[in-house]
Structures are given as C-alpha cells and as structure tokens.
Amino acid sequence: MSLARTIRHARAVGFKEWFRQMTYIGDAKMGRLVGTDQFGNRYFENTDPKEEIPGRHRWVDYSQDDFNASQVPPEWHSWISHIRKDAPTEDPIVKAVTPPWKAPFIENMTGTRGAFKTYSTTAPKIRAWDPVVKPRGGSGQPSA
C-alpha cells in the first residue's frame, strides 16, 4: 500500500469512510458497490489492476462493529471467494433458483448467549461425591 494510493483513496471516499476502513480492514479501498445482503453488509469490487492486487479486489464491509466471517451468507461467500464470477444480485441462476426447502441463513452463534447447548434427559452414570458429616457426640470434653 503506497502513500499516494492511500491519499487518492482518502480523497475519493471521504475522510470518515477512509478512517473507518483503516480502523476495520487496515487498508484504504475504493470500488463499485456490488450489493448488500439481508444483514446490511456491503460488498465491493475494484477490477482495476493498477489499484488492487489480484485476489484482493473483492471485499465486504460488515454492518456490525463486532464481525466475523460467519456473518457472510453462502451466496455472497461464493462470490467473494471467486467460486462464482457474478455477484448474487447480478447472477441469473442465484436470482431464479431458490429451493423451497432452503432455511434462512443464521450466523454462527458460538460464544454468545444464542449458542446451542445440549442437554441430557437421562440420569448421570457418575455422581459427584457429596460428603456427609456426622454430628459429633458430647461437648468434646472427656467425662469424669
């Protein structure tokens, strides 16, 4: 990333967006907005070989501050990973074919309150030791 490229992108996208990009992705990028998913994530592409390194010309701008890769739906993941040439908003196959059995996409909730937790309806095979203390007899003094 050159200084001239950084300044050029800062002028193109504005200071606020440039600062946000530097904070979240560590790079100043500008490109064509390809689409937005149901979570509000924005997907961009810049195919100019003078501006972007091949393989890094597609990127996602997450809508949440605490983001991870599981917040990208499968159809957008296939585009951003170069499995599909066209974005889901431009691909006629993705637009036309949505199976009726397809469940709505939910991000991975591991590590949050919404995480799946198993439970058992059978009695445990091993019981934890529960010490029983017998009451001591007398006052503790020998009787005379």
Side-chain angles (χ1 to χ4, degrees), residues 7-18:
I7 293 170
R8 191 169 50 250
H9 287 196
R11 285 183 174 171
V13 298
F15 180 75
K16 184 177 178 183
E17 180 63 23
W18 173 82

Side-chain angles (χ1 to χ4, degrees), residues 14-35:
F15 180 75
K16 184 177 178 183
E17 180 63 23
W18 173 82
F19 188 77
R20 184 176 187 279
Q21 287 179 1
M22 292 303 285
T23 303
Y24 287 112
I25 62 175
D27 192 6
K29 290 183 170 278
M30 68 176 180
R32 176 177 71 96
L33 176 64
V34 177

Side-chain angles (χ1 to χ4, degrees), residues 1-8:
M1 175 168 71
S2 70
L3 183 61
R5 178 180 171 270
T6 303
I7 293 170
R8 191 169 50 250

Side-chain angles (χ1 to χ4, degrees), residues 94-135:
V94 174
K95 283 181 172 180
V97 180
T98 301
W101 47 262
K102 185 178 176 184
F105 178 75
I106 301 171
E107 68 177 276
N108 185 357
M109 303 299 272
T110 302
T112 66
R113 293 184 69 190
F116 176 76
K117 293 182 179 59
T118 59
Y119 65 93
S120 177
T121 58
T122 60
K125 294 180 181 178
I126 301 172
R127 291 185 308 173
W129 178 60
D130 187 20
V132 178
V133 179
K134 292 183 179 179

Side-chain angles (χ1 to χ4, degrees), residues 79-93:
W79 175 76
I80 211 163
S81 301
H82 302 280
I83 296 169
R84 289 191 171 271
K85 186 180 96 170
D86 298 326
T89 55
E90 301 165 356
D91 193 353
I93 296 172

